Amino acid sequence: MKKIKPINDARKTGTDLVFSAIRQNSPTPRIDIVKQTGLSPATVTSITADLILNGLIEEVPAVKSTNYQKRGRPRVDLKIRGDAHLVVGMQLTDKMATVVIVDFDGKQISDYSLPSAKPVRSALETVDLLEKALRKSLENANLKIADISGVGIGIPGIVDGPAGYVYWSPTISDREIFLQDMLVDRLDIPVFLDNDANLVAIAEQRFGLGREARNFIVVSVEEGVGMGIVIDGKLYRGSHGCGAELGHTKVHLDGALCRCGQRGCLEAYVGDYALLREAGTALEALSGKSAELQMDILLNEAKKGNQMAASIVERAGRMFAMGLANVVNIFAPELIILAGRRMQYDYLYHDGMIAEMKKSIMQVGAPSPEVRVHKWGDLMWTMGAAAFAIDGVSEIALKDLN
Amino acid sequence: MKKIKPINDARKTGTDLVFSAIRQNSPTPRIDIVKQTGLSPATVTSITADLILNGLIEEVPAVKSTNYQKRGRPRVDLKIRGDAHLVVGMQLTDKMATVVIVDFDGKQISDYSLPSAKPVRSALETVDLLEKALRKSLENANLKIADISGVGIGIPGIVDGPAGYVYWSPTISDREIFLQDMLVDRLDIPVFLDNDANLVAIAEQRFGLGREARNFIVVSVEEGVGMGIVIDGKLYRGSHGCGAELGHTKVHLDGALCRCGQRGCLEAYVGDYALLREAGTALEALSGKSAELQMDILLNEAKKGNQMAASIVERAGRMFAMGLANVVNIFAPELIILAGRRMQYDYLYHDGMIAEMKKSIMQVGAPSPEVRVHKWGDLMWTMGAAAFAIDGVSEIALKDLN
């Protein structure tokens, strides 16, 4: 017999519904929670009383005065109580581990980066680096590990988030490791692990441009190409929990060699390393410089009109448009968010690229998706990890309540 | 204030849950419905009594004897009552309109095809053709339109199913037409319209290889390339209701010219017309023959070792592998179903193509999706439309009950 798998939302309790309504619109009056959840006013009053009693939310003076009351009690809004929990977001890259400490309402307390000379580390070295960065950041903020309710960590590569399992990461030499378990053993607090691009999608949904959309994708280009997909308000993870791969979709049969060992991947045309391996042919001035500096020189030369440099950058933009159009054809999202440091440069998101992308999607009267560029600061990835940790800690806190 | 959009399943009533549990496993004992829906035995008994009273389901002698009872009432199963409704599925192509009449349990009553000499018709001619095919098929089966509870129709092209709106179809000269409304005005019975590949996905989910999977894609190659995506048991429609496009994802920058006017589309390498425009260079024997016959000759010549013919077919297979790998990288489905008449030939689904596809997806320990080939008969598309009509008629019948 085939078992009907219950969908997540059907199992959500009234408490879950009320809490997420408050998180989404915090601060918000009770009457709006009633409208949003469809629960009765009495139920909402009882649940919010319980949440206040347990310190997860608090009353604050009303900021919305749409229904101004002349008499009676002063109106109050409900918001997430920042002091309820401290959580940590961390991002691992080939160059460093970055940490941000936030309160339960997402307010940033402090941040810290620990550089690492070794771009690819063993599983054990990875755990060491993450622990060291966490302890240093807590020390700087006069906090102990016991003060923290959970840590969210973003890792590049193929990560099964729900299982806390890393199939492969470009910054970890070991493959197929239960990294979440290793970190829980070491730190003895809840750890939530996921692919870094998925966490950027969660950050956009929670704090950023994705708050109003039900179906959107977030694409980030830095050393590699990352993508997170949100369908019907939920992160899409695919059948093995790892979510979507954009960087390794193919844009050319038997094309350029990719870091992953295959040929013709989008990343092999638009990733930093892809541009730099052609850059040596165009510009002699690059040798001996850091990858970051080389990228700056290449992009500036292209802008100044160096034809070979411009040719490298232009092809990358066109390939990016093609890869993006393929996702749009397959997913038809309402919104595409281009995020990340690389968006500071305009070669990937200029109007010409977006026009080329729109030219390559089926044009038959249906509206094209909106494309928005989000020039996050350096903490984009880390704030995504923090948002993920808040989700995880909330789930634990509500489970204790239910 | 942002309104939390209620998800479909959350609004499902107990009656909806019980009815869909019966459809999924028909015939099935009451105890299994209790287990599947999570409803109490008393509720299930009351709902099924109501459904029997209204003639939508019926009791039949139990076929499953897992819990053999020695004494007491003979055990019964519940099944959908075929006689409850008659519905029609129709498929429109450039060559004909096909009709199948089925009962409420999906049992085929009769089928009929009306050829059409005109491959591209106006909106009005399309309605005329569909009406004529429907009336002829009913006449052959000694039925009247009033005997039919609903018609499902599959149309190639970009169709917004929920809106009953055709943005564009290769077989209709008019664009952006409210075809569903036009048909309802003409026929005066409920009409359910969708893209034909989406309906094949529904057919696979209801009758075929997709019955056990929650996340799968169905790819069909004939004149064009179609795809239907099922995520978490539901057809994925994207933000404008039209679902996913595989045929017009790009596999080559500035590549071969496609019927849609763009360049480098997958369809421009693997669709029948794409193969045939190169076939003239390889084989003189083709001129003056029908497209279908030309395809047969080309594929047979390739099989017999004609190198130019083989080169055409081989490239199509490799491009198909690449386009399919892109969907797998983006979606990570658990199952890919290759369906349709073209699957009778092996150039698109031979082991080499599947191996090449698997070589082009991220290989990092995560399991590859299963690939299955479904060599449906000619009625595949039409049965999909019938399944869709059963869904629509069920929804109407249950709404009347609730």
Side-chain angles (χ1 to χ4, degrees):
Chain A
M1 191 192 72
K2 198 165 27 156
K3 180 97 180 139
I4 294 180
K5 194 176 148 194
I7 55 159
N8 284 336
D9 292 40
R11 286 183 302 195
K12 279 206 164 159
T13 64
T15 307
D16 295 333
L17 287 175
V18 168
F19 188 77
S20 73
I22 296 172
R23 277 193 66 186
Q24 220 174 352
N25 298 290
S26 174
T28 184
R30 278 187 181 78
I31 182 66
D32 285 1
I33 303 172
V34 169
K35 283 183 208 153
Q36 280 173 67
T37 59
L39 298 170
S40 72
T43 306
V44 169
T45 301
S46 146
I47 288 174
T48 53
D50 206 26
L51 288 169
I52 291 170
L53 193 70
N54 283 276
L56 295 178
I57 63 170
E58 62 189 350
E59 289 186 334
V60 290
V63 290
K64 297 165 190 165
S65 57
T66 42
N67 286 311
Y68 181 70
Q69 281 180 304
K70 278 200 174 153
R71 281 177 295 231
R73 286 199 297 162
R75 288 193 56 228
V76 292
D77 282 347
L78 293 169
K79 69 178 278 291
I80 301 299
R81 194 172 143 259
D83 292 344
H85 292 281
L86 286 178
V87 305
V88 167
M90 299 186 76
Q91 155 75 353
L92 182 75
T93 73
D94 52 346
K95 297 184 193 65
M96 66 185 84
T98 312
V99 190
V100 61
I101 305 175
V102 302
D103 74 10
F104 199 45
D105 199 24
K107 204 183 82 185
Q108 192 176 322
I109 309 288
S110 73
D111 71 276
Y112 173 77
S113 281
L114 181 63
S116 158
K118 211 171 170 180
V120 182
R121 311 159 201 107
S122 71
L124 202 62
E125 287 165 340
T126 301
V127 172
D128 289 343
L129 177 67
L130 289 168
E131 184 189 10
K132 192 172 165 192
L134 175 64
R135 289 197 187 275
K136 279 273 183 193
S137 73
L138 291 172
E139 201 180 301
N140 290 350
N142 277 320
L143 293 165
K144 301 181 303 294
I145 283 207
D147 298 325
I148 301 299
S149 301
V151 184
I153 306 177
I155 309 261
I158 315 286
V159 180
D160 181 339
Y165 186 74
V166 180
Y167 282 106
W168 168 83
S169 168
T171 69
I172 304 177
S173 54
D174 295 310
R175 286 182 169 226
E176 307 193 13
I177 52 174
F178 284 97
L179 188 60
Q180 185 181 35
D181 287 351
M182 292 175 73
L183 285 161
V184 170
D185 284 348
R186 183 72 69 90
L187 302 172
D188 203 26
I189 52 171
V191 173
F192 312 98
L193 203 69
D194 212 327
N195 166 271
D196 50 6
N198 278 350
L199 297 189
V200 174
I202 288 175
E204 289 289 356
Q205 188 183 31
R206 193 71 68 206
F207 311 125
L209 301 177
R211 280 193 291 182
E212 301 295 322
R214 297 288 299 173
N215 298 295
F216 67 93
I217 62 174
V218 179
V219 175
S220 54
V221 184
E222 297 202 347
E223 180 66 19
V225 178
M227 176 167 68
I229 296 181
V230 173
I231 297 180
D232 208 19
K234 286 185 294 186
L235 195 66
Y236 179 74
R237 293 187 183 278
S239 63
H240 42 59
C242 303
E245 264 303 324
L246 174 62
H248 303 281
T249 58
K250 304 295 174 285
V251 290
H252 202 308
L253 193 62
D254 300 332
L257 186 64
C258 181
R259 290 191 294 182
C260 75
Q262 298 181 357
R263 284 193 172 275
C265 299
L266 177 58
E267 195 172 296
Y269 292 94
V270 309
D272 287 4
Y273 75 93
L275 275 71
L276 289 182
R277 64 188 170 192
E278 282 201 328
T281 311
L283 304 164
E284 278 177 29
L286 299 181
S287 72
K289 302 209 163 57
S290 75
E292 205 138 339
L293 198 52
Q294 288 186 41
M295 277 299 288
D296 281 345
I297 295 172
L298 173 67
L299 295 170
N300 282 326
E301 282 294 317
K303 205 173 267 179
K304 283 197 301 194
N306 178 319
Q307 285 202 357
M308 282 173 88
S311 158
I312 294 172
V313 165
E314 191 198 299
R315 189 180 69 169
R318 296 193 67 201
M319 285 296 195
F320 186 55
M322 178 173 159
L324 216 50
N326 283 347
V327 177
V328 172
N329 277 319
I330 291 173
F331 253 105
E334 55 191 281
L335 170 68
I336 299 171
I337 301 169
L338 304 178
R341 196 162 40 83
R342 182 66 61 245
M343 298 305 150
Q344 313 285 348
Y345 301 108
D346 64 358
Y347 79 101
L348 284 183
Y349 78 92
H350 59 83
D351 293 345
M353 186 290 285
I354 292 173
E356 172 124 6
M357 186 273 283
K358 292 196 170 175
K359 238 174 50 193
S360 295
I361 61 181
M362 283 301 283
Q363 288 292 350
V364 285
S368 293
E370 188 187 0
V371 180
R372 296 181 67 180
V373 175
H374 198 169
K375 301 181 188 180
W376 282 80
D378 284 340
L379 286 179
M380 172 180 85
W381 307 91
T382 324
M383 281 305 288
F388 190 53
I390 292 176
D391 284 351
V393 168
S394 300
E395 207 173 295
I396 294 171
L398 294 178
K399 203 181 278 172
D400 289 346
L401 271 189
N402 284 331
Chain B
M1 190 192 72
K2 198 165 27 160
K3 180 97 181 140
I4 295 181
K5 192 176 147 194
I7 55 159
N8 284 336
D9 292 38
R11 287 181 302 193
K12 278 207 164 158
T13 64
T15 306
D16 294 333
L17 288 174
V18 168
F19 187 77
S20 73
I22 296 171
R23 277 194 65 185
Q24 220 172 354
N25 298 289
S26 172
T28 183
R30 279 188 180 76
I31 181 67
D32 286 1
I33 303 171
V34 169
K35 283 184 207 153
Q36 280 173 66
T37 59
L39 299 169
S40 72
T43 305
V44 168
T45 301
S46 146
I47 289 173
T48 53
D50 206 26
L51 288 168
I52 291 171
L53 195 68
N54 282 276
L56 296 177
I57 63 170
E58 61 189 349
E59 289 186 334
V60 291
V63 291
K64 297 165 189 165
S65 57
T66 42
N67 287 309
Y68 181 70
Q69 281 179 304
K70 276 199 176 152
R71 279 177 297 230
R73 287 198 297 161
R75 287 194 54 228
V76 292
D77 282 347
L78 293 168
K79 69 177 277 293
I80 301 298
R81 194 172 143 260
D83 292 344
H85 292 280
L86 286 179
V87 305
V88 167
M90 299 185 76
Q91 154 75 355
L92 182 75
T93 73
D94 52 347
K95 297 183 193 66
M96 66 185 86
T98 312
V99 189
V100 62
I101 305 174
V102 303
D103 73 10
F104 199 44
D105 200 23
K107 203 182 83 187
Q108 192 177 321
I109 309 288
S110 73
D111 71 277
Y112 173 74
S113 281
L114 181 64
S116 158
K118 209 170 173 181
V120 181
R121 309 158 201 108
S122 71
L124 201 62
E125 288 166 339
T126 302
V127 173
D128 289 343
L129 177 67
L130 289 168
E131 184 189 10
K132 191 173 166 192
L134 175 63
R135 290 196 187 274
K136 280 272 182 193
S137 73
L138 292 171
E139 200 182 303
N140 291 350
N142 276 320
L143 292 166
K144 299 180 305 294
I145 283 207
D147 297 326
I148 300 299
S149 301
V151 184
I153 305 176
I155 309 261
I158 316 286
V159 181
D160 181 339
Y165 187 74
V166 180
Y167 282 105
W168 168 83
S169 168
T171 70
I172 305 177
S173 54
D174 296 310
R175 285 180 169 227
E176 308 194 13
I177 51 175
F178 284 97
L179 188 60
Q180 186 180 34
D181 287 351
M182 292 175 74
L183 286 160
V184 170
D185 284 348
R186 182 73 68 90
L187 302 171
D188 204 26
I189 52 172
V191 173
F192 313 99
L193 203 70
D194 211 328
N195 167 272
D196 50 6
N198 279 351
L199 297 190
V200 175
I202 288 175
E204 289 289 356
Q205 187 183 30
R206 193 73 66 205
F207 311 125
L209 302 176
R211 281 193 290 183
E212 301 296 322
R214 295 290 297 173
N215 298 295
F216 67 92
I217 61 174
V218 178
V219 175
S220 53
V221 184
E222 297 203 347
E223 180 67 18
V225 178
M227 176 167 68
I229 298 181
V230 173
I231 296 180
D232 208 19
K234 285 185 293 186
L235 194 66
Y236 179 74
R237 291 187 184 276
S239 62
H240 42 60
C242 304
E245 263 305 322
L246 174 61
H248 303 281
T249 59
K250 304 295 174 286
V251 291
H252 203 308
L253 192 61
D254 300 331
L257 186 65
C258 181
R259 288 191 296 181
C260 74
Q262 299 181 357
R263 283 195 172 274
C265 300
L266 177 59
E267 195 171 294
Y269 292 94
V270 309
D272 286 5
Y273 75 93
L275 275 71
L276 290 182
R277 64 186 170 193
E278 281 200 328
T281 312
L283 303 165
E284 278 175 29
L286 298 182
S287 71
K289 301 208 166 56
S290 74
E292 205 139 335
L293 198 53
Q294 289 187 40
M295 279 299 289
D296 280 346
I297 296 172
L298 173 68
L299 295 170
N300 283 326
E301 282 293 318
K303 205 173 265 180
K304 284 197 302 194
N306 178 319
Q307 284 202 358
M308 281 173 86
S311 158
I312 294 171
V313 165
E314 192 199 297
R315 188 180 69 168
R318 296 194 67 203
M319 285 297 194
F320 187 54
M322 178 174 158
L324 217 50
N326 283 347
V327 178
V328 172
N329 277 319
I330 291 173
F331 253 103
E334 56 191 283
L335 171 67
I336 298 171
I337 301 169
L338 304 177
R341 196 162 41 84
R342 182 67 59 244
M343 300 304 151
Q344 312 285 350
Y345 301 108
D346 64 358
Y347 77 102
L348 285 182
Y349 79 93
H350 58 83
D351 293 346
M353 187 288 286
I354 292 171
E356 171 125 6
M357 187 272 283
K358 292 196 170 175
K359 238 173 52 193
S360 295
I361 61 181
M362 283 302 283
Q363 288 291 350
V364 285
S368 293
E370 189 186 359
V371 180
R372 297 181 67 183
V373 175
H374 197 170
K375 301 181 189 180
W376 282 80
D378 284 339
L379 286 179
M380 172 179 86
W381 308 90
T382 323
M383 281 305 287
F388 189 53
I390 292 176
D391 284 352
V393 169
S394 300
E395 208 173 292
I396 294 171
L398 294 177
K399 202 182 280 172
D400 290 345
L401 271 187
N402 284 330

